[in-house]
Amino acid sequence: MPRPIEALIHAEALTHNLARARAAVPDARVWAVVKANAYGHGIARAFEALRAADGFALLDLAEAQQLRDLGWRGPILLLEGVFEPRDLELCSRLNLWHTVHCEAQIDWLAMHKTHQPHRVFLKMNSGMNRLGLRPAAFRAAWTRLNALPQVDEISLMSHFSDADGDRGIAAAMQVFGDATRDLPGERSLCNSAATLRHGDDAAVRADWVRAGIMLYGSAPDFPAHDIAHWNLRPTMTLRARLIGTQELQAGDTVGYGSRFTAEAPMRIGVVACGYADGYPRHAPSGTPVLVDGVRTRLVGRVSMDMVTVDLGALPHAVRGSEVTLWGRASAGAMLPIDEVAHAAGTVGYELMCALAARVPVRLDGGS
Ligand SMILES: Cc1ncc(COP(=O)(O)O)c(C=O)c1O
């Protein structure tokens, strides 16, 4: 019998969440961001469910090739552009649109021999100071690109550092607006947080939004808002089973480092899931978990292959009982990945991307 742990990917929830992105910005087109193997969900698994997107955005050329192999003929955008000149050949062959965020990428394009001019997204650094040309250099870069026979159409993009928080996007919008005022071309600015929180502003939603985390059932601005607030559905469930139970006496401790001490007699369950499955090792005692669909808590340290949970409220739980680490219990109860991530001091993004290769993954047709 295989070890009792699996992950489920909920296809209908992906489709629902994509529809939510569309509804938030009805007159804009939506890139489904599927970098990092669709945020850990698997591009091949997520593809059909996200097929209604206007395009797919990602980083890795191998993932772009995978999408073409899956039969996707529509737009694909490389969010970081090409990493070396010869990548441009693949862009020509697979008809990939690519971001241009630095002068070197323009130099490479100028030397590239192609019969098929490229669609590029010129990226501005509007304050995040990660990728992108500074506002003062943006217009000159646009003029250079515009003069290249290798370039067909130039769109303009930027990425917000604070769309999910109180600092907001006003400063970046001002910088971007000032530097692009009379430049032609489509615009793309919004990630999930900006789509949901600021998408009602036409200048912000612009022509294309780049929706990532919201497609995968995580609220980009948790804990300010949760997925119920944004009407998003969980797309990944991590489920395991109890493989043992222990009766503790007052004063007994649990796990490595004896980090949890029973204050009174209590029963705990041992779950077939640990940090080698992608469960966060830093999740403290108290982190929520569902046993047979009933909410309880982690007790003691997360170890490589096991976690331990409080069965105080679950007298009927036995070896074999279902444990939902995040996502949906069979009986329907739900534990948002954001709650687990928050308890562990991280974000839903990290947990879904860290799902370990040893966990079998099943595509669940229903949500
Ligand atoms: C350039 C760019 N656009 C869009 C996204 C999608 O962001 P999110 O997953 O927060 O929607 C990312 C992700 O980091 C990104 O780097």
Side-chain angles (χ1 to χ4, degrees):
M1 184 185 160
R3 188 164 163 262
I5 181 167
E6 66 173 356
L8 283 89
I9 304 302
H10 305 293
E12 280 183 25
L14 286 163
T15 303
H16 167 88
N17 296 340
L18 175 61
R20 282 287 302 122
R22 278 211 183 290
V25 289
D27 56 353
R29 274 159 289 161
V30 177
W31 293 108
V33 180
V34 291
K35 66 193 174 117
N37 203 18
Y39 290 48
H41 290 61
I43 286 187
R45 277 181 221 105
F47 172 63
E48 285 298 334
L50 296 177
R51 234 194 147 118
D54 297 296
F56 288 93
L58 41 68
L59 311 181
D60 196 308
L61 281 97
E63 291 184 340
Q65 175 81 63
Q66 192 187 354
L67 274 173
R68 289 292 183 233
D69 293 344
L70 286 165
W72 177 251
R73 298 276 159 264
I76 295 177
L77 175 63
L78 299 177
L79 287 168
E80 294 183 353
V82 294
F83 300 102
E84 55 179 336
R86 68 178 177 165
D87 294 345
L88 290 167
E89 286 158 29
L90 201 66
C91 292
S92 293
R93 189 145 47 84
L94 299 181
N95 187 21
L96 307 180
W97 302 1
H98 48 104
T99 299
V100 170
H101 64 76
C102 63
E103 295 288 346
Q105 289 174 327
I106 306 180
D107 298 340
W108 299 342
L109 258 172
M111 290 182 302
H112 178 55
K113 293 187 175 39
T114 180
H115 297 297
Q116 195 191 358
H118 292 195
R119 167 102 181 238
V120 297
F121 278 61
L122 184 61
K123 181 165 184 174
M124 183 189 297
N125 169 11
S126 57
M128 189 170 196
N129 289 314
R130 227 171 45 170
L131 295 182
L133 289 132
R134 291 208 157 266
F138 197 74
R139 190 165 297 261
W142 185 91
T143 306
R144 254 192 98 196
L145 275 176
N146 194 41
L148 294 182
Q150 292 89 341
V151 173
D152 170 22
E153 197 175 326
I154 308 170
S155 301
L156 315 179
M157 72 184 278
S158 195
H159 191 48
F160 297 123
S161 55
D162 289 278
D164 57 335
D166 292 342
R167 280 173 77 105
I169 61 168
M173 281 302 292
Q174 183 78 46
V175 168
F176 182 81
D178 289 349
T180 59
R181 184 141 299 122
D182 51 358
L183 287 179
E186 294 187 335
R187 274 112 165 114
S188 177
L189 297 165
C190 290
N191 58 359
S192 297
T195 299
L196 291 170
R197 291 167 64 101
H198 305 285
D200 53 345
D201 179 336
V204 176
R205 65 180 176 269
D207 301 292
W208 292 85
V209 300
R210 307 183 303 271
I213 195 68
M214 67 175 295
L215 302 181
Y216 305 103
S218 168
D221 56 355
F222 189 86
H225 297 113
D226 61 10
I227 55 171
H229 173 87
W230 294 121
N231 184 15
L232 300 170
R233 296 183 187 160
T235 58
M236 181 190 281
T237 290
L238 180 60
R239 250 183 226 168
R241 293 196 178 276
L242 292 183
I243 54 171
T245 58
Q246 295 285 348
E247 301 283 347
L248 304 185
Q249 302 306 311
D252 284 351
T253 62
V254 180
Y256 288 120
S258 302
R259 293 285 274 264
F260 177 83
T261 305
E263 287 177 1
M266 67 184 284
R267 205 161 69 99
I268 61 165
V270 182
V271 185
C273 177
Y275 62 76
D277 300 297
Y279 194 84
R281 183 175 174 277
H282 296 294
S285 292
T287 300
V289 59
L290 305 178
V291 176
D292 285 337
V294 176
R295 202 176 164 103
T296 179
R297 58 174 182 143
L298 231 63
V299 289
R301 247 192 200 155
V302 174
S303 52
M304 182 185 284
D305 310 305
M306 286 171 261
V307 295
T308 32
V309 296
D310 183 353
L311 297 181
L314 286 136
H316 302 296
V318 291
R319 199 157 52 81
S321 289
E322 179 190 273
V323 181
T324 304
L325 286 314
W326 60 72
R328 242 170 232 286
S330 308
M334 209 249 284
L335 176 59
I337 195 168
D338 294 328
E339 285 193 42
V340 180
H342 191 67
T346 183
V347 285
Y349 296 77
E350 187 178 6
L351 297 195
M352 54 182 81
C353 289
L355 183 71
R358 79 174 187 180
V359 177
V361 184
R362 193 156 56 85
L363 184 63
D364 168 27
S367 60

